[in-house]
Amino acid sequence: MAFPNDWTYYKTITVDHTKVSADLTDYPILLNVGVDTDFKDNAEEEGKDFVITNSNGNVVKKREIESYKTHDGTLVLWFKGDISSSTDTVFRV
């Protein structure tokens, strides 16, 4: 499943390949977003509509929301992704 590239509200997450010692599959990644007005004003209550995609727009299916606060848009989310040691890896949430 893929999401369109015209998403209005998303954040780009880039994993610097120089910080990765080997290619990793299904590596657990913690995303901790502080106060975010885009998320606050546009995400569903409890963050049920948060989706992680890779740079091609394909959905990363394994994710878990640890906490989401609708009053300020803060988000703590875990997901599993494939990470490269030779080129930066980009995700979107």
Side-chain angles (χ1 to χ4, degrees):
M1 179 179 172
F3 271 76
N5 289 329
D6 62 350
W7 262 355
T8 305
Y9 303 102
Y10 67 88
K11 304 298 174 197
T12 301
I13 305 159
T14 302
V15 179
D16 181 350
H17 76 280
T18 65
K19 307 292 184 195
V20 181
S21 60
D23 290 347
L24 303 169
T25 302
D26 280 341
Y27 190 78
I29 301 166
L30 171 64
L31 174 64
N32 189 343
V33 178
V35 174
D36 189 291
T37 56
D38 286 340
F39 288 169
K40 177 182 133 257
D41 295 338
N42 299 290
E44 289 182 7
E45 191 169 330
E46 298 179 21
K48 292 180 182 179
D49 57 337
F50 285 113
V51 176
I52 306 293
T53 69
N54 62 20
S55 61
N56 295 328
N58 295 320
V59 174
V60 175
K61 296 182 181 182
K62 300 173 185 174
R63 66 119 174 108
E64 180 180 333
I65 295 173
E66 188 172 308
S67 68
Y68 173 64
K69 298 178 182 168
T70 55
H71 70 276
D72 65 5
T74 58
L75 171 68
V76 178
L77 178 142
W78 288 90
F79 68 97
K80 290 187 176 183
D82 298 342
I83 301 173
S84 172
S85 62
S86 59
T87 183
D88 289 353
T89 305
V90 177
F91 297 98
R92 294 192 309 180
V93 61

